[in-house]
Amino acid sequence: MSTQVKSQDLAFPAYMTACAVIAAISGFNVGWHISVPNMPEKVIMGEVHDDGSYNCLPGTNSSGALPGCLPMDFTTWGYTIGAFAIGGFFGSIASKYLNSWFGRRDNIMISCICMMAGGILSATSINLTMYSFGRAFVGFASGMCGSSVAIYVSEISTNKSRGALGSLFELFLNLGILLTQVCGRYMASAPTWRFLWAIPTFIAAIQLVMLFFFTVECPRRLCANKKYDEACATLQKLRAGADVEEEFALLLAARQRELESTQKQMSIWDIVSCKDRSISWNTVIVMVVQAFNQIGGIGPMSVYSVGFFTQIFGDATLASNISLADASVNIAATLIAVVFMHKVGRKGFMMISTGGTCVASVMMVLGSTLRTSGSERQGIGGLAIAAAIVFTGSYSMGCGVIPWLIAPELLPMHALASGSALGNASNWLFNFVVNTVWPKMSEGLGTYSFTVFAVINLLGFLFITFFMPETTGKDLDQSTTKEKTFDPENITDSDSSNPSTDGSNEKTEKFEHNHVEIKTT
């Protein structure tokens, strides 16, 4: 009797893990571009006067080809931040079609090219239009890769490793935010700030090369394209020589069920019009979970954190240090999620996350509004700092990680491209709304601004508690699996159930992979 390990019992085969890590590097570039305007904000936009006029800070004018700053008012600065989110929204919608036309791996490579183009535009911008288009390009790339990386990592991973490897995107994203803050402290000057946009461009180029030469396409995607030989060889490579017969048979059986059901790929309109109510409802869950990647207040806590804390404490250096501490807590909390994801579960971490950010939002309001006795300055510094740390830590354990895992686990193959696109579009739409509205919201509500996020996160906690199903350990094809018996030795297309009486119209193709035979008519 063979003692070869079954592929389904594996946890982290080296090559599979390496492919997931290479794909997840996209998260680093997304995190970098999310946070990169934070530290050099004042240098880039210059100073705004009470009469509404603005100009570069002293010493930032440049006589070279590239200006030292791009002077603008606060509203325009908000729109340049929002350009990134607008690009992300359209990148998410585009991913629906690109994930249907091309493979997941190909889409990640396309996103790398877009990331490089946007980085070059922003780094060499000579006016606001060029800078904004650069931000929109990297946003488009971020929207694309957010969907494609999540599907790619989920489809190449084993059940035991999917949660941990799916968390890598958020881990790299937080690492990008942290390193941006560190580099920004030393490069927030003219014209050095431009190199902050050049760094992720080089990283995207390196990732593109690694994807092309060292990674493979998803076996599940290859099976859907009827490339059975390539799918089996790819699965064998990902599973480090383990026995893939049973896992490959399940992939083929899932393909067979799709053929028998004559189910076409669902469009975005099919989901929105509730053609299949179960899939539409699961898509709503995906969209809500993705929305809480942004809507709960993480944007002001990261993109605008330096300005926000400077307003509270009146000390820009302290504000920068708090932002660095937040970024460090992000990484630590994400690592906790990676280690305990299989035990706590997707739903458990989302409840911890939304509940924690709700409490932290209340703490932030109290910490920035109340004042200690005998103090002339408004706010309780220690409480506000604690609130920021609790907020970012809670966010990173759930709302930062789970949105990138949930779509492939809730949606069947024929609805995955459209449902995932809608989920990511929800993410980027709220990214744009929150980050664009925040400057006015902060100006109008002042220290009470986070009251809004306290209410939103409370509603999120209630939704997750009552409506989100637990998907930890679920097989990706489980959502389409019917309770039926199938024979992996004889998997046929749907037309074979009604063969012609004389057999003249039947053609048989055989692909033998570890004793698995596929017959197509």
Side-chain angles (χ1 to χ4, degrees), residues 67 83-84 99 123 296 316 318 377 423 463 484 506:
F84 177 75
N99 275 323
L318 177 60
R377 176 170 289 277
F463 181 91
K484 60 181 282 187
E506 182 174 6

Side-chain angles (χ1 to χ4, degrees), residues 294-364:
Q294 298 295 334
I295 199 173
I298 192 61
M301 196 64 72
S302 56
V303 179
Y304 293 102
S305 59
V306 173
F308 178 66
F309 288 120
T310 300
Q311 179 183 350
I312 295 175
F313 300 111
D315 186 336
T317 301
L318 177 60
S320 298
N321 291 337
I322 295 173
S323 296
L324 283 173
D326 280 348
S328 301
V329 170
N330 269 336
I331 293 178
T334 305
L335 286 173
I336 291 173
V338 170
V339 174
F340 295 103
M341 181 63 68
H342 208 69
K343 294 182 179 180
V344 178
R346 283 44 158 171
K347 182 173 183 176
F349 269 125
M350 279 299 295
M351 291 174 65
I352 292 171
S353 187
T354 50
T357 50
C358 177
V359 172
S361 296
V362 174
M363 292 170 58
M364 180 63 72

Side-chain angles (χ1 to χ4, degrees), residues 253-295:
R255 172 61 181 159
Q256 177 68 16
R257 286 190 294 273
E258 291 176 3
L259 292 170
E260 289 176 351
S261 67
T262 64
Q263 179 66 63
K264 297 181 179 179
Q265 288 287 320
M266 292 189 74
S267 67
I268 291 176
W269 174 248
D270 289 335
I271 295 177
V272 172
S273 61
C274 297
K275 186 175 182 180
D276 184 316
R277 291 186 178 182
S278 175
I279 290 176
S280 294
W281 173 244
N282 281 348
T283 303
V284 169
I285 296 174
V286 171
M287 292 178 70
V288 171
V289 173
Q290 280 278 11
F292 272 89
N293 188 256
Q294 298 295 334
I295 199 173

Side-chain angles (χ1 to χ4, degrees), residues 41-86:
E41 172 183 340
K42 290 296 182 183
V43 175
I44 297 173
M45 67 179 291
E47 56 185 347
V48 181
H49 304 290
D50 293 337
D51 60 359
S53 63
Y54 42 84
N55 57 267
C56 292
L57 292 172
T60 59
N61 288 307
S62 174
S63 58
L66 300 177
C69 84
L70 304 171
M72 67 190 90
D73 57 24
F74 290 110
T75 302
T76 305
W77 178 254
Y79 283 124
T80 65
I81 300 294
F84 177 75
I86 292 174

Side-chain angles (χ1 to χ4, degrees), residues 103-166:
R104 322 312 190 195
R105 171 175 169 265
D106 294 338
N107 275 328
I108 301 173
M109 289 194 286
I110 293 171
S111 73
C112 288
I113 295 172
C114 293
M115 192 76 73
M116 292 161 59
I120 292 172
L121 275 175
S122 293
T124 60
S125 57
I126 58 175
N127 52 49
L128 280 177
T129 301
M130 192 172 174
Y131 175 76
S132 298
F133 268 101
R135 292 287 293 166
F137 259 97
V138 294
F140 185 87
S142 299
M144 277 187 60
C145 70
S147 174
S148 300
V149 171
I151 298 175
Y152 179 81
V153 173
S154 292
E155 291 186 348
I156 67 171
S157 301
T158 61
N159 286 346
K160 292 182 179 179
S161 66
R162 189 179 303 120
L165 294 182

Side-chain angles (χ1 to χ4, degrees), residues 217-271:
E217 186 53 85
C218 310
R220 194 168 178 238
R221 169 72 181 187
L222 294 171
C223 276
N225 290 342
K226 298 184 179 181
K227 297 180 180 180
Y228 301 113
D229 285 307
E230 187 178 349
C232 185
T234 298
L235 184 63
Q236 191 74 63
K237 188 174 183 180
L238 289 167
R239 299 298 182 256
D243 181 5
V244 300
E245 180 175 350
E246 184 175 340
E247 184 178 2
F248 189 59
L250 291 173
L251 282 175
L252 297 176
R255 172 61 181 159
Q256 177 68 16
R257 286 190 294 273
E258 291 176 3
L259 292 170
E260 289 176 351
S261 67
T262 64
Q263 179 66 63
K264 297 181 179 179
Q265 288 287 320
M266 292 189 74
S267 67
I268 291 176
W269 174 248
D270 289 335
I271 295 177

